[in-house]
Amino acid sequence: GAGVSQTPSNKVTEKGKYVELRCDPISGHTALYWYRQSLGQGPEFLIYFQGTGAADDSGLPNDRFFAVRPEGSVSTLKIQRTERGDSAVYLCASAQDPSSTEAFFGQGTRLTVV
Amino acid sequence: DAKTTQPPSMDCAEGRAANLPCNHSTISGNEYVYWYRQIHSQGPQYIIHGLKNNETNEMASLIITEDRKSSTLILPHATLRDTAVYYCIVRVASNAAGNKLTFGGGTRVLVKP
């Protein structure tokens, strides 16, 4: 596809369960970002990948959150022992390189922890 | 990155110009002003950015004051599809920072017929 693809679009899980959220960036984009957006607020930065490595993970709220990008393209955000407070829309964005002026966002995954 | 201040909401009449203000009084010399918008149930979308000169593209115009402490995004002829939350963001453009964006609350713009 032409844009950033995120799957699933919606995920409902029980408190304490493990979830994985997937992001397919635009082909050729080396920079990839994860954000989290709670209802009524702006997106909040979580982690930034340049290629396969996490260049900045300062936004991850705690050690229950982890993200990988093993081949420098697809990324997976992993959340262990989910809590109700983790409920939010998780957005992924990609950019051609770190100095690019524009980041392209996917439509997000809406995570609901019940 | 410097903090920005925007009005929480504003209405605009369809076909008229929408002028969205943003204050960034602590902006540094190497920080750019970026605007993104987020239509309901979609991810944010890049609109425009600038350093100190006014900028125009097919979507909007960006006017930055001479002291760079504030800016205005202008949508010249607002349509109903421009209803969205508009975010003004200040960031340093460097490889180390990447495209990390610090979003505030934005301005919720409602374009009315």
Side-chain angles (χ1 to χ4, degrees):
Chain A
V4 176
S5 176
Q6 292 188 246
T7 54
S9 55
N10 283 283
K11 175 71 176 179
V12 180
T13 191
E14 292 181 346
K15 179 175 177 295
K17 298 289 188 182
Y18 167 84
V19 296
E20 291 189 351
L21 311 179
R22 176 186 169 107
C23 173
D24 282 82
I26 292 172
S27 178
H29 281 195
T30 63
L32 185 145
Y33 309 81
W34 284 98
Y35 291 81
R36 176 170 71 173
Q37 186 170 26
S38 299
L39 190 63
Q41 299 184 17
E44 174 190 22
F45 169 79
L46 295 177
I47 188 169
Y48 152 51
F49 285 91
Q50 175 52 33
T52 60
D56 183 351
D57 64 357
S58 61
L60 295 178
N62 52 58
D63 61 6
R64 294 187 298 106
F65 289 74
F66 189 71
V68 296
R69 194 185 185 200
E71 298 179 357
S73 54
V74 172
S75 176
T76 305
L77 178 66
K78 308 180 180 194
I79 310 174
Q80 299 177 321
R81 305 183 304 279
T82 53
E83 300 177 357
R84 292 197 178 88
D86 298 335
S87 296
V89 175
Y90 289 81
L91 293 161
C92 176
S94 71
Q96 189 158 12
D97 57 62
S99 61
S100 297
T101 56
E102 181 175 358
F104 296 84
F105 283 80
Q107 297 210 0
T109 293
R110 180 175 299 278
L111 175 66
T112 304
V113 182
V114 298
Chain B
D1 293 337
K3 185 176 178 178
T4 62
T5 304
Q6 299 177 252
S9 65
M10 64 182 296
D11 293 345
C12 175
E14 185 180 20
R16 303 294 294 270
N19 297 296
L20 283 61
C22 179
N23 285 324
H24 31 78
S25 58
T26 61
I27 192 170
S28 300
N30 62 345
E31 289 181 312
Y32 289 73
V33 179
Y34 279 72
W35 284 83
Y36 277 74
R37 75 177 182 184
Q38 187 172 24
I39 295 170
H40 184 62
S41 296
Q42 296 184 20
Q45 175 192 22
Y46 167 84
I47 301 173
I48 199 168
H49 77 286
L51 182 63
K52 53 184 177 182
N53 297 324
N54 298 338
E55 303 287 345
T56 295
N57 63 20
E58 65 279 3
M59 291 183 68
S61 295
L62 175 60
I63 308 298
I64 302 174
T65 58
E66 191 168 344
D67 63 6
R68 303 208 322 123
K69 294 186 176 184
S70 65
S71 60
T72 301
L73 179 75
I74 301 172
L75 307 178
H77 304 287
T79 71
L80 300 180
R81 288 178 295 179
D82 291 323
T83 291
V85 178
Y86 287 76
Y87 296 100
C88 171
I89 299 164
V90 172
R91 66 171 279 253
V92 176
S94 73
N95 283 347
N99 220 311
K100 175 181 174 181
L101 301 169
T102 302
F103 291 83
T107 296
R108 188 171 299 275
V109 174
L110 176 61
V111 180
K112 296 182 175 180

